[in-house]
Coordinates of all heavy atoms in Angstrom, one line a residue:
H1 N 69.4 38.5 22.1 CA 70.1 39.7 21.9 C 70.1 40.1 20.4 O 70.2 39.2 19.5 CB 71.5 39.5 22.4 CG 71.6 39.3 23.8 ND1 71.6 38.0 24.4 CD2 71.7 40.2 24.9 CE1 71.7 38.1 25.7 NE2 71.8 39.4 26.0
L2 N 70.0 41.3 20.1 CA 70.0 41.8 18.7 C 70.8 43.1 18.7 O 70.4 44.1 19.4 CB 68.6 42.1 18.2 CG 68.5 42.4 16.8 CD1 69.0 41.3 15.9 CD2 67.0 42.7 16.4
N3 N 72.0 43.1 18.0 CA 72.8 44.3 18.0 C 73.2 44.8 19.4 O 73.2 46.0 19.6 CB 72.2 45.5 17.2 CG 72.1 45.1 15.7 OD1 72.8 44.3 15.2 ND2 71.2 45.8 15.0
G4 N 73.4 43.9 20.3 CA 73.9 44.2 21.6 C 72.8 44.6 22.6 O 73.1 44.8 23.8
L5 N 71.5 44.6 22.1 CA 70.4 44.8 23.0 C 69.7 43.5 23.5 O 69.6 42.6 22.7 CB 69.4 45.7 22.3 CG 69.7 47.2 22.2 CD1 68.5 47.9 21.4 CD2 69.7 47.8 23.6
S6 N 69.3 43.5 24.7 CA 68.5 42.4 25.2 C 67.0 42.7 24.8 O 66.5 43.7 25.2 CB 68.6 42.3 26.7 OG 69.9 42.0 27.1
I7 N 66.4 41.8 24.1 CA 65.1 42.0 23.6 C 64.2 40.9 23.8 O 64.6 39.7 24.0 CB 65.1 42.4 22.1 CG1 65.4 41.2 21.2 CG2 66.2 43.5 21.8 CD1 65.1 41.4 19.7
V8 N 62.9 41.2 23.7 CA 61.8 40.1 23.6 C 61.1 40.5 22.3 O 60.7 41.6 22.0 CB 60.9 40.1 24.8 CG1 60.3 41.5 25.1 CG2 59.8 39.1 24.5
C9 N 60.9 39.4 21.5 CA 60.2 39.6 20.2 C 58.9 38.8 20.3 O 58.8 37.6 20.6 CB 61.0 39.1 19.1 SG 60.4 39.5 17.5
M10 N 57.8 39.5 20.0 CA 56.4 38.9 20.0 C 56.2 38.4 18.6 O 55.9 39.2 17.7 CB 55.4 39.8 20.5 CG 54.1 39.2 20.8 SD 53.0 40.4 21.6 CE 51.5 39.4 21.7
Q11 N 56.4 37.1 18.3 CA 56.3 36.6 17.0 C 54.8 36.2 16.7 O 54.4 35.1 16.8 CB 57.2 35.3 16.9 CG 57.6 35.0 15.4 CD 58.6 33.9 15.4 OE1 58.6 33.0 16.3 NE2 59.5 33.8 14.4
G12 N 54.1 37.2 16.3 CA 52.7 37.0 16.1 C 51.9 37.8 17.2 O 52.3 37.7 18.3
R13 N 50.8 38.5 16.8 CA 50.1 39.2 17.8 C 48.6 38.8 17.7 O 48.2 38.0 16.9 CB 50.3 40.7 17.6 CG 49.9 41.3 16.3 CD 50.4 42.7 16.1 NE 50.0 43.3 14.9 CZ 48.9 43.9 14.6 NH1 48.0 44.0 15.6 NH2 48.6 44.4 13.5
F14 N 47.8 39.6 18.5 CA 46.4 39.3 18.6 C 45.5 40.4 18.0 O 46.0 41.6 18.0 CB 46.0 39.0 20.0 CG 46.9 38.2 20.8 CD1 47.6 38.7 21.9 CD2 47.2 36.9 20.4 CE1 48.6 38.0 22.6 CE2 48.2 36.2 21.1 CZ 48.8 36.7 22.2
H15 N 44.3 40.1 17.5 CA 43.5 41.1 16.9 C 42.0 40.9 17.4 O 41.6 39.8 17.7 CB 43.5 40.9 15.3 CG 44.8 40.8 14.7 ND1 45.5 39.6 14.8 CD2 45.6 41.6 14.0 CE1 46.7 39.7 14.1 NE2 46.7 41.0 13.7
P16 N 41.3 42.0 17.5 CA 39.9 41.9 17.9 C 39.1 41.0 17.0 O 38.1 40.4 17.4 CB 39.4 43.4 17.9 CG 40.7 44.2 18.1 CD 41.8 43.4 17.4
Y17 N 39.4 41.0 15.7 CA 38.6 40.2 14.8 C 38.8 38.7 15.0 O 38.1 37.8 14.5 CB 38.9 40.5 13.3 CG 40.3 40.2 12.8 CD1 40.7 38.9 12.6 CD2 41.2 41.2 12.6 CE1 42.0 38.6 12.1 CE2 42.5 41.0 12.1 CZ 42.9 39.7 11.8 OH 44.1 39.5 11.3
E18 N 39.8 38.3 15.9 CA 39.9 36.9 16.3 C 39.0 36.6 17.4 O 38.9 35.4 17.8 CB 41.4 36.6 16.7 CG 42.4 36.8 15.6 CD 43.8 36.5 16.1 OE1 44.2 35.4 16.3 OE2 44.5 37.5 16.3
G19 N 38.3 37.6 18.0 CA 37.4 37.3 19.1 C 37.9 37.8 20.4 O 37.2 37.7 21.4
Y20 N 39.1 38.5 20.4 CA 39.7 39.0 21.6 C 39.2 40.4 21.9 O 39.0 41.2 20.9 CB 41.2 38.9 21.6 CG 41.7 37.5 21.5 CD1 42.6 37.2 20.4 CD2 41.4 36.6 22.4 CE1 43.2 36.0 20.3 CE2 41.9 35.3 22.2 CZ 42.8 35.0 21.2 OH 43.3 33.7 21.1
S21 N 39.1 40.8 23.1 CA 38.8 42.2 23.5 C 40.0 43.1 23.2 O 41.1 42.6 23.1 CB 38.4 42.3 24.9 OG 39.5 42.0 25.8
Q22 N 39.8 44.4 23.1 CA 40.9 45.3 22.9 C 41.9 45.2 24.0 O 43.1 45.3 23.9 CB 40.3 46.7 22.8 CG 39.4 47.0 21.7 CD 40.1 47.5 20.4 OE1 41.2 47.9 20.4 NE2 39.3 47.7 19.3
A23 N 41.3 45.1 25.3 CA 42.2 45.0 26.4 C 43.1 43.7 26.4 O 44.2 43.8 26.8 CB 41.3 45.0 27.7
L24 N 42.5 42.6 25.9 CA 43.3 41.4 25.9 C 44.4 41.5 24.8 O 45.5 41.0 25.0 CB 42.4 40.2 25.6 CG 43.0 38.8 25.9 CD1 43.5 38.7 27.3 CD2 42.0 37.7 25.6
C25 N 44.1 42.2 23.7 CA 45.1 42.3 22.6 C 46.3 43.1 23.1 O 47.4 42.9 22.6 CB 44.4 43.0 21.4 SG 43.2 42.0 20.5
S26 N 46.1 44.1 24.0 CA 47.2 44.9 24.5 C 47.8 44.4 25.8 O 48.8 44.9 26.3 CB 46.7 46.3 24.7 OG 45.6 46.4 25.7
M27 N 47.2 43.4 26.4 CA 47.7 42.8 27.6 C 49.2 42.5 27.7 O 49.9 42.7 28.6 CB 46.8 41.6 28.1 CG 47.2 41.0 29.4 SD 48.4 39.7 29.2 CE 47.5 38.4 28.4
P28 N 49.7 41.9 26.6 CA 51.2 41.5 26.6 C 52.1 42.7 26.9 O 53.2 42.5 27.4 CB 51.4 40.9 25.2 CG 50.1 40.4 24.8 CD 49.1 41.3 25.3
I29 N 51.7 43.9 26.5 CA 52.5 45.1 26.7 C 52.7 45.3 28.2 O 53.8 45.7 28.7 CB 51.9 46.3 26.0 CG1 51.9 46.1 24.5 CG2 52.7 47.6 26.4 CD1 51.3 47.2 23.7
K30 N 51.7 45.0 29.0 CA 51.8 45.1 30.5 C 52.8 44.1 31.0 O 53.6 44.4 31.9 CB 50.4 44.9 31.1 CG 49.4 46.0 30.8 CD 48.1 45.7 31.4 CE 47.1 46.8 31.1 NZ 45.7 46.5 31.7
I31 N 52.8 42.9 30.4 CA 53.8 41.9 30.8 C 55.2 42.4 30.4 O 56.1 42.2 31.3 CB 53.4 40.6 30.1 CG1 52.1 40.0 30.6 CG2 54.6 39.6 30.3 CD1 51.7 38.7 29.9
F32 N 55.4 43.0 29.3 CA 56.7 43.4 28.9 C 57.2 44.5 29.8 O 58.4 44.6 30.2 CB 56.6 44.0 27.4 CG 56.3 43.0 26.4 CD1 55.7 43.4 25.2 CD2 56.6 41.7 26.6 CE1 55.4 42.5 24.2 CE2 56.3 40.7 25.6 CZ 55.7 41.1 24.4
K33 N 56.3 45.4 30.3 CA 56.6 46.4 31.3 C 57.2 45.8 32.5 O 58.2 46.2 33.1 CB 55.4 47.3 31.6 CG 55.7 48.3 32.7 CD 54.4 49.1 33.1 CE 54.6 49.9 34.3 NZ 55.6 51.0 34.1
L34 N 56.5 44.7 33.0 CA 57.0 44.1 34.3 C 58.2 43.2 34.1 O 58.9 43.0 35.0 CB 55.8 43.2 34.9 CG 54.6 44.0 35.3 CD1 53.6 43.1 36.1 CD2 54.9 45.2 36.2
L35 N 58.5 42.8 32.8 CA 59.7 42.1 32.5 C 60.9 43.0 32.5 O 62.1 42.6 32.5 CB 59.6 41.3 31.2 CG 58.7 40.1 31.2 CD1 58.5 39.5 29.8 CD2 59.2 39.0 32.2
G36 N 60.6 44.4 32.3 CA 61.7 45.3 32.4 C 61.9 46.2 31.1 O 62.8 47.0 31.0
C37 N 61.0 46.0 30.1 CA 61.2 46.7 28.8 C 60.9 48.2 29.1 O 60.0 48.6 29.7 CB 60.2 46.2 27.8 SG 60.5 44.5 27.3
K38 N 61.8 49.0 28.4 CA 61.6 50.5 28.5 C 61.1 51.0 27.2 O 60.5 52.1 27.1 CB 63.0 51.1 28.8 CG 63.6 50.6 30.1 CD 62.8 51.0 31.3 CE 63.5 50.7 32.6 NZ 63.8 49.3 32.8
L39 N 61.3 50.3 26.1 CA 60.9 50.8 24.8 C 60.2 49.6 24.1 O 60.4 48.4 24.3 CB 62.1 51.2 23.9 CG 62.9 52.4 24.4 CD1 64.1 52.6 23.5 CD2 62.0 53.7 24.3

C-alpha cells in the first residue's frame, strides 16, 4: 500500500537490448491487467 492505494511495483524492467522481444518486455502489463490494475 502507498498513500492508501493497493499497488504493485515492478522493481526493475526488461529491455530489448537484453535480448528480449518487444512483446516479452511488455508482457508483465498483461499480467497486471489480470491482477486487477486499472492504472
